[in-house]
């Protein structure tokens, strides 16, 4: 199955972007190649750009506290495992404490590193990080992989509370809804929202389906069109019935 997620507000959109960037950073950090470490450093710059939203840290702390209060209300519920509940509460409390311990503006330590900021400004230019433009960076890329990995980990580490906080929020969000089996007749599906509060929509398709969902939604209606998975010509709507799973998610 392939899952497509459609966020319905800017806050969830930001968290999904951060999740994608942190996943990429972890993937390239594990490699030994200099090109992979170059991509990892560029990804750190992207994380810095997205995570620097002034209210992101506050949003995460507030949402984690709200979820903590909800979980506390399940105490002494015979249908809820006390061990699982305690583990979830501990994870949330640890993530909140780490976020609150982040001093100053997110990523300020990176902005104060002139060497990194020079690379960042050059990397914004197509081909701008070539060895003749940044000889000191070329030297760094030719260091031992473990030395590079140590540097990259040090630059990423202070941002990890953001990663941990968004991971908890997105996990709870994804678990908040129940998937429903539906069919898009001749590739089209429409449903009224009926006053339902939704923060994210998840659409699951069989991996063999040669189509992708094109989604539009607001507080009144949801519209999904399944388009041919074209990579050359302009995609058009499929003319067959498409079975799929739909999940409405809301914290």
């Amino acid at each position: 199955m392939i899952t497509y997620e459609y966020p319905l507000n800017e806050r969830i959109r930001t968290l999904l972007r951060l999740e994608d960037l942190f996943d990429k950073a972890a993937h390239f950090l594990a490699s030994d190649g200099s090109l992979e470490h170059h991509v990892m450093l560029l990804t750190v710059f992207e994380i810095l750009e997205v995570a620097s939203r002034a209210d992101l840290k506050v949003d995460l702390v507030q949402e984690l506290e709200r979820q903590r209060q909800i979980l506390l209300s399940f105490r002494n519920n015979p249908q809820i495992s006390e061990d699982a509940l305690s583990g979830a509460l501990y994870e949330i409390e640890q993530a909140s404490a780490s976020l609150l311990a982040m001093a100053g503006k997110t990523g300020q330590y990176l902005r104060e590193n002139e060497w990194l900021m020079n690379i960042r400004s050059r990397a914004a230019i197509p081909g701008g990080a070539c060895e003749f433009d940044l000889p000191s960076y070329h030297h760094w890329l030719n260091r031992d992989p473990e030395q590079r990995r140590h540097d990259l980990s040090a630059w990423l580490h202070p941002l990890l509370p953001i990663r941990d906080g968004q991971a908890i929020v997105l996990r709870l969000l994804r678990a908040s809804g129940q998937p429903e089996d539906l069919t898009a007749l001749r590739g089209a599906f429409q449903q009224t929202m009926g006053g339902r509060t939704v923060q994210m929509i998840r659409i699951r398709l069989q991996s063999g389906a040669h189509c992708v969902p094109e989604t539009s939604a607001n507080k009144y209606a949801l519209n999904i069109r399944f388009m041919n998975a074209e990579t050359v010509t302009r995609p058009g709507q499929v003319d067959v019935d498409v079975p799929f799973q739909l999940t409405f998610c809301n914290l």
Side-chain angles (χ1 to χ4, degrees):
M1 300 286 283
I2 300 178
T3 302
Y4 299 88
E5 295 181 327
Y6 187 80
L8 296 184
N9 60 53
E10 188 60 32
R11 184 168 65 119
I12 303 303
R13 192 172 290 114
T14 297
L15 296 184
L16 289 171
R17 285 179 174 143
L18 283 170
E19 179 185 56
D20 179 67
L21 290 171
F22 277 115
D23 285 347
K24 288 177 181 175
H27 173 80
F28 290 116
L29 180 62
S31 174
D32 287 339
S34 60
L35 289 177
E36 286 84 354
H37 285 177
H38 168 68
V39 175
M40 194 279 181
L41 182 56
L42 298 187
T43 305
V44 171
F45 294 150
E46 290 187 67
I47 292 171
L48 175 64
E49 190 72 29
V50 178
S52 293
R53 268 188 46 210
D55 55 348
L56 175 63
K57 186 170 71 173
V58 175
D59 278 353
L60 282 173
V61 170
Q62 290 178 344
E63 186 57 48
L64 289 172
E65 176 58 23
R66 195 170 73 85
Q67 294 302 318
R68 189 179 78 89
Q69 293 298 330
I70 292 172
L71 291 178
L72 283 173
S73 69
F74 294 132
R75 286 284 195 196
N76 302 317
N77 187 326
Q79 296 181 327
I80 303 295
S81 166
E82 284 294 322
D83 288 342
L85 184 59
S86 296
L89 285 168
Y90 177 78
E91 186 181 14
I92 288 174
E93 288 162 2
Q94 289 294 106
S96 295
S98 296
L99 285 165
L100 290 170
M102 293 177 68
K105 187 175 181 181
T106 302
Q108 186 59 35
Y109 68 98
L110 290 173
R111 294 186 183 86
E112 292 172 353
N113 186 318
E114 291 186 15
W115 185 77
L116 286 176
M117 289 302 98
N118 188 35
I119 296 169
R120 184 188 184 189
S121 63
R122 292 298 311 176
I125 303 169
C130 284
E131 59 185 80
F132 55 84
D133 287 310
L134 296 169
S136 66
Y137 183 48
H138 181 59
H139 173 267
W140 182 82
L141 287 173
N142 279 277
R143 296 180 72 189
D144 181 78
E146 281 304 318
Q147 291 179 313
R148 292 198 307 265
R149 188 176 292 109
H150 178 271
D151 290 340
L152 289 167
S153 297
W155 296 328
L156 180 65
H157 186 266
L159 295 170
L160 295 186
I162 298 286
R163 180 201 65 182
D164 297 341
Q166 62 83 23
I168 293 172
V169 172
L170 287 178
R171 186 168 71 243
L172 293 171
L173 178 63
R174 288 172 175 133
S176 66
Q178 291 296 322
E180 183 180 359
D181 292 316
L182 298 167
T183 300
L185 300 178
R186 298 185 67 181
F189 177 83
Q190 186 177 54
Q191 181 173 315
T192 58
M193 300 299 275
R196 186 200 309 254
T197 301
V198 180
Q199 291 178 298
M200 185 172 73
I201 291 164
R202 304 187 83 212
I203 299 167
R204 300 194 76 202
L205 287 172
Q206 291 290 340
S207 56
H210 296 292
C211 58
V212 294
E214 187 178 90
T215 307
S216 63
N218 54 39
K219 62 182 179 180
Y220 302 110
L222 165 68
N223 289 281
I224 304 172
R225 292 198 305 157
F226 289 92
M227 313 296 285
N228 288 305
E230 290 285 349
T231 57
V232 179
T233 60
R234 184 175 180 176
Q237 185 173 316
V238 301
D239 196 30
V240 297
D241 294 349
V242 180
F244 68 102
Q245 286 185 343
L246 177 66
T247 307
F248 292 107
C249 303
N250 187 58
L251 289 168

